[in-house]
Every structure is written in C-alpha cells, then in structure tokens.
Amino acid sequence: MKILVCITNVPDTTAKISFTDSDTKFNKAGVTYICGPYDDYALSRAVELKEQSGGTVTVLNVGEADSEQVIRKCLAIGADDAIRVNCEPTDSYFVAQQIAAIASQENYDLILMGRESIDFNGGVVHGLVGEMLGIPSLSPVMKLDIDGKTARITREIEGGKEDIEATLPLVLGCQEPIAEWKIPNMRGIMTARTKPLKVVEPTGDDLTVTRKFELPAPKGAVKMIAADEVEKLVDLLKNEAKVL
Amino acid sequence: MSVLIFVELDNGAIKKSSLEAVFYGSEVAKAQGTSATVLAIGASSDSELSKAGNFGAKKVLHANDSKLDQANIQAYASVLSAAVEKESASVIVLAKSSLGDAVAARVAGKLKASIVSNITELPDLSSGFKVKRSIYTGKAFAVVEMLSDKKILAIKKNAVSPVETADSAQIEVFTPEVSEADFTVKITGTHKASGTVSLPEADIVVSAGRGLKGPENWGIVEDLAKALGAATACSKPVSDLDWRPHHEHVGQTGIKVSPNLYIACGISGAIQHLAGVNSSKVIVVINKDPEAPFFKAADYGIVGDVFDVLPKLTKAIEASK
C-alpha cells in the first residue's frame, strides 16, 4: 500500500501569538514549531498500517525551508521519503493544488492529513484535494482499518459518530484516537538523516491573500462572586451580561 | 450574481446555525444589491423551509430526491454546485460544521472558488471582498481578501445576531441530476446521542473537568445544563479517561465552541482548553483553586467546591425562571 501523509509545520500549541511589520507578519521569534498534532495522528496511523501490511509512507509538506526539521522528525518516526513544495502555505485552495499535483503523479491508495492545521484552522484541504483528484474525502476520521481495497472508517459527527465503508483510494482528515502518537527512537533519528527529501517548486495561484492580523481585545478583570452568593451570579448573567 | 446559502436539516428542521448563515447571506446580498437564495437538501416541509424567509431569503431551492435523505458529501456537493450554476451565485454561505465544511471544500474544488472558514463577522466590501476569520484556534484573527469570482464563506457561530422578520420565502423544488458515482461511500451506521442539546449549536455550554472526580458525579453537571437548556461538554483529560464521549471534548484538539455563555466547572484552564472556548461571549469559572489559570480568562468567577456550588446554582436558576 502506498500512503501519502501531508503535514503542516505550525507553532506549538502553547506558543504566544504576536505579529510584526504593522500586523502583517507572524512573529516567529521565540516560537517552537511542531508537526501539527492532527497530522501526527495521520502519520502514526500510516506507519502502523505499513507495519501491518507493508508498503511505503511518503511525507509531503507544503512549506518553506524551515519546515525541514519537522519533516526529518516524520522520517524518524517511520516515513520512507519526503517531498517539500517550496512556498508559504496561506491559501487552502493553493495548498490543495500542490498536494493534488504531487498525488496525481503517483497512485497513492491513501492520502492522510490532519483534520485541520492548527495555525489557520481551515479544515478544508482534504475535501479540496479529494475533489481535485476525483476521489472521496472524509473528515474527521477517528478510526481507520483497511481490508484489501476496502476502508472501514469511523467519522465524528456533531453529537456522535458514523461508521463508513469506502473503497480506496481515499483522502482522509484524521484526529484522535486513530492511532497512538509515535516518538522517534535513536535508530529512526539516525536513518532519517539519509532518507530522501525532494524539494519541488509550486504551481498555480493563491485565491485569497491575508491583508492584516489582529489580536483579540484584552479581557476585562474577572468579577469574583462568593460561593454562598450564587443568586448574585444569576442576577449578573441576566441583567449585566444579558446571556440568560 | 446572487448569494446562495446552503442550510443543513436536522430531522427536517433547518439547524439554528444554518438560520444564522441565512441571515448572514441575506445581509451580504443586501450590501451587494442582489438577492439571497437558500438551498436545502433532504426531506422537509414547506412550512419549515419558509422560515428561511424570516431570516432574509427570498427563495428556497428544495432538493428532496429521496436518494439525498442520508447526508452524502459528494452528492450534496454536486447538488450545491448545480444550484450555484442555476442561480449564477457568486457568494456561497454556510455554517461551519462537519458536513458543511466537507461539502463546501468539494464545491470550492469544482468551481475554483476561494474558500475561507471560521468567519466571525460580515464582510468588508469597501475595497475588494474582505472577511475576518478566527485563526490560531481563537488566539488571533486574520483579515483575508478573497480574490476569485466565486467565494465560499463558512461562518462561525455568533458571526451575526439575526433579526427575524415576518417575510416569507418562495419554495421551489430543485431536481438536479445526481450521479451514481457520487454514492460510492456507504454510511453503515450512525451513533448519535439523543435528547440532548447539540454542543456546536448551543447558546449555553456547561463544561466540566477532572474536578468532578469521576463519571458517576456528572449528574450535577447535567442538572445545571438542563436548568439552563445548555449542552454539556468536558475537558480533554475527562474524554481521555473515557468519563465522557469524545464528541463532548472541547479544546485545541476537540470541538471549538463559541456560545453566548460558557460555564467551566472544575477545569483548571490549560492553554489548550482555553483555545477551544475563548471565543465564548461570557465565561464563568467555578473552581476550588483560586490560582486556577482559567480565572484570568473568565468574566465571572466563583472560588468554591463544584459539589457544593453547582446544586445551589441550579436551584437559583430554577428559582429565577
């Protein structure tokens, strides 16, 4: 089985978010970058499937050169090779186009990625890629088992989940608990250094462009209410906050 | 040029978040000097669908082919694309949800449309077409200009506060051809909690964490939620421990909610949890630890034992009705 796993290089979940250049650029100073947590689930499941039934796992990142540290970590976890499309990923349609261009050159049985990136939170790239390749796309996937050409999937829906049966090839947006996160071991880290990482240039245009960033208005001071005065809280929620 | 709004049906009724999308789309249509049309797919009634008129739509296209009763992403995307063509729509609006996002993404792929998700307010049409989206899981916003002719906007809950009118919408049955090729994905089972308020749709959310000490203690959380007509939610450790189902987990890697009121009970407020709830209008935190970081993100706080405060609060809310 040939699996393509698309990963994002994103600020750590605890990173302090700020902007520079009159709020037009993300401030990378002091920020640790990680592989998107949902992408990590996708990669871990891909490596598990490879361990079960053979095949290859290719990691794809649409990103700039500073993504390579995260790409090497994915190779250390068990991917065989990697491709980086050299550009700044800011528009969902543009990113999907890069993935579809790479995917259409090979016959991947599965294209896995996180349900969304944790920087722009779009959650639409898997659907775009599926449409561009003319194959089904499903997200968020919590469980994935493969039996020959058939995939048995559990997808989360509002207030529950649904069971799905579909035929490969498929594009899937993944989330927990599809697999246990994997931590690279020493042998993995050593071999990752020499695994192939191909860099290609992007094609196509952005359909959106970010003009400005903003931070939320600072929260006012919290109003404390004594534990034996809950009636006061009800009154404030009704008459001051007007949410009841 | 017109605005098309895709609404989702729940047992034939238009979802509340979709009515917000209808109002949003109608406001965009007004600003552009055009009209708003709604597309509803699946079984429903004319009286239910005409509700879209109260929120500003002039017309409702109803695709009621029984093949479409079960939500199928590819088939719904084909129907929505056909409706876009029929109405010569240039702006497509929908509420962000697991179905909405999936359908919208495929339609964007079909039409080469720009697509922006998590939109938090009406667009700025003063120069170009600019929308504001929530990014970094609610920790920032981006103002994005949409450059293509066709634009798809997935809006976040509370992006607008709808004003209802007595206007009605004209209903038209819509029967585009649906191809068998769109039905290769088979839904073999659905497991859905019944009789509870849907979490992403809820105006009020009562959420609890490890401070509840065990799943057997959730009764006091459910009682408070019931008194408020609220949905229940939980923190990540609680869902990891299987005290509550995963679809109730709010936070960075769970559901992101933006209700009018979020009440956090016995949750310390790790940055990953805050990321999922920080777009709530009003946050109440109840925790016995006065140093809990959540108080810094709260509007109202009570330092106290949840086992003591929650039943009292439930009583006070019942009494105030």
Side-chain angles (χ1 to χ4, degrees):
Chain A
M1 188 159 54
K2 276 172 77 86
I3 308 176
L4 182 69
V5 181
C6 309
I7 61 129
T8 55
N9 180 46
V10 289
D12 173 42
T13 53
T14 59
K16 186 167 164 32
I17 306 298
S18 65
F19 303 100
T20 62
D21 295 41
S22 315
D23 288 333
T24 58
K25 277 203 167 61
F26 178 72
N27 183 6
K28 292 185 177 180
V31 172
T32 308
Y33 278 76
I34 56 166
C35 174
Y38 298 118
D39 312 334
D40 251 343
Y41 285 116
L43 175 66
S44 299
R45 188 64 191 135
V47 171
E48 286 174 2
L49 289 171
K50 184 183 108 169
E51 285 166 358
Q52 281 166 21
S53 49
T56 58
V57 175
T58 299
V59 165
L60 171 60
N61 170 251
V62 179
E64 295 174 293
D66 54 11
S67 293
E68 293 198 1
Q69 197 191 343
V70 161
I71 298 173
R72 289 283 172 208
K73 194 190 149 207
C74 296
L75 292 169
I77 283 171
D80 299 285
D81 60 342
I83 304 166
R84 179 172 69 82
V85 183
N86 187 31
C87 57
E88 195 191 348
T90 58
D91 175 53
S92 305
Y93 191 95
F94 178 77
V95 171
Q97 247 182 327
Q98 310 315 316
I99 297 169
I102 300 286
S104 60
Q105 293 165 21
E106 298 276 346
N107 290 315
Y108 292 106
D109 300 292
L110 275 175
I111 300 172
L112 305 182
M113 61 188 82
R115 64 175 292 177
E116 65 184 47
S117 70
I118 63 159
D119 51 3
F120 275 56
N121 311 111
V124 293
V125 169
H126 28 74
L128 280 159
V129 171
E131 186 61 37
M132 288 170 182
L133 296 172
I135 59 176
S137 52
L138 294 162
S139 177
V141 173
M142 309 170 74
K143 193 166 180 283
L144 165 67
D145 288 308
I146 305 287
D147 181 5
K149 281 278 165 199
T150 305
R152 286 190 187 85
I153 287 164
T154 304
R155 183 174 94 97
E156 188 163 82
I157 54 174
E158 278 79 21
K161 49 197 179 180
E162 62 187 15
D163 305 321
I164 291 170
E165 232 176 73
T167 307
L168 304 181
L170 295 169
V171 184
L172 306 176
C174 304
Q175 72 168 26
E176 63 187 6
I178 194 168
E180 290 280 332
W181 274 342
K182 293 197 183 328
I183 298 158
N185 57 29
M186 196 37 98
R187 192 173 159 271
I189 295 167
M190 297 302 284
T191 55
R193 290 185 190 158
T194 53
K195 285 180 179 172
L197 194 172
K198 190 166 82 178
V199 179
V200 299
E201 291 305 315
T203 56
D205 302 307
D206 285 323
L207 300 188
T208 61
V209 51
T210 300
R211 296 294 182 204
K212 207 166 82 88
F213 293 105
E214 287 173 20
L215 290 172
K219 210 83 186 157
V222 53
K223 217 173 246 185
M224 298 305 293
I225 295 127
D228 53 5
E229 291 182 335
V230 289
E231 296 78 13
K232 206 172 142 195
L233 175 66
V234 176
D235 179 58
L236 286 166
L237 291 175
K238 259 196 171 153
N239 301 312
E240 187 180 74
K242 300 191 190 326
V243 288
L244 288 188
Chain B
M1 198 179 87
S2 72
V3 176
L4 184 69
I5 303 110
F6 168 62
V7 300
E8 285 181 52
L9 301 174
D10 185 10
N11 285 323
I14 303 177
K15 282 170 71 174
K16 193 163 162 278
S17 52
S18 288
L19 289 172
E20 278 184 30
V22 173
F23 183 77
Y24 186 105
S26 305
E27 291 295 301
V28 175
K30 242 188 256 171
Q32 290 190 319
T34 173
S35 65
T37 301
V38 161
L39 170 69
I41 308 178
S44 186
S45 66
D46 284 6
S47 64
E48 171 61 27
L49 294 178
S50 67
K51 258 192 206 164
N54 305 153
F55 291 81
K58 294 275 176 280
K59 186 164 80 175
V60 177
L61 298 179
H62 185 201
N64 59 1
D65 187 331
S66 61
K67 267 197 265 178
L68 299 167
D69 282 350
Q70 198 176 40
N72 175 300
I73 292 161
Q74 278 166 284
Y76 276 34
S78 295
V79 174
L80 178 53
S81 297
V84 170
E85 234 168 83
K86 175 177 150 52
E87 295 296 311
S88 313
S90 54
V91 176
I92 299 126
V93 177
L94 59 126
K96 191 176 167 57
S97 76
S98 67
L99 177 69
D101 288 1
V103 171
R106 294 199 75 104
V107 173
K110 280 182 202 290
L111 305 175
K112 200 176 179 189
S114 52
I115 177 164
V116 178
S117 195
N118 279 317
I119 293 173
T120 58
E121 54 186 62
L122 286 167
D124 170 6
L125 306 175
S126 57
S127 77
F129 192 108
K130 294 199 206 83
V131 290
K132 195 191 231 186
R133 71 187 293 189
S134 161
I135 56 169
Y136 294 106
T137 325
K139 286 184 251 179
F141 300 97
V143 176
V144 177
E145 183 167 355
M146 302 178 79
L147 304 172
S148 57
D149 293 341
K150 293 210 183 331
K151 304 168 180 72
I152 303 183
L153 284 64
I155 65 164
K156 199 167 166 159
K157 183 177 161 64
N158 273 335
V160 283
S161 309
V163 183
E164 280 183 68
T165 65
D167 295 347
S168 61
Q170 162 208 340
I171 294 158
E172 189 181 311
V173 173
F174 180 51
T175 47
E177 228 171 272
V178 282
S179 150
E180 280 308 314
D182 282 339
F183 291 90
T184 59
V185 171
K186 302 272 178 252
I187 300 168
T188 54
T190 305
H191 317 272
K192 223 172 161 176
S194 59
T196 54
V197 181
S198 153
L199 178 55
E201 298 262 303
D203 285 329
I204 303 177
V205 174
V206 178
S207 187
R210 255 184 310 191
L212 267 288
K213 296 197 170 86
E216 67 280 9
N217 297 326
W218 240 257
I220 53 171
V221 179
E222 281 161 353
D223 289 346
L224 177 58
K226 207 172 157 207
L228 289 163
T232 53
C234 69
S235 65
K236 181 165 168 27
V238 164
S239 113
D240 285 350
L241 289 163
D242 259 340
W243 291 1
R244 302 294 294 178
H246 186 270
H247 65 255
E248 281 199 4
H249 156 211
V250 291
Q252 177 98 46
T253 55
I255 313 268
K256 285 88 179 171
V257 293
S258 46
N260 295 334
L261 174 59
Y262 184 82
I263 303 180
C265 316
I267 302 177
S268 64
I271 192 163
Q272 289 89 345
H273 183 77
L274 296 182
V277 306
N278 55 10
S279 4
S280 307
K281 274 191 192 157
V282 173
I283 295 178
V284 174
V285 169
I286 302 164
N287 202 302
K288 66 177 177 191
D289 174 10
E291 301 299 320
F294 215 151
F295 283 115
K296 287 202 178 72
D299 299 280
Y300 302 102
I302 292 180
V303 176
D305 188 342
V306 288
F307 294 100
D308 167 46
V309 175
L310 293 197
K312 276 197 213 154
L313 185 55
T314 305
K315 247 187 223 159
I317 284 159
E318 296 284 9
S320 77
K321 277 183 184 169

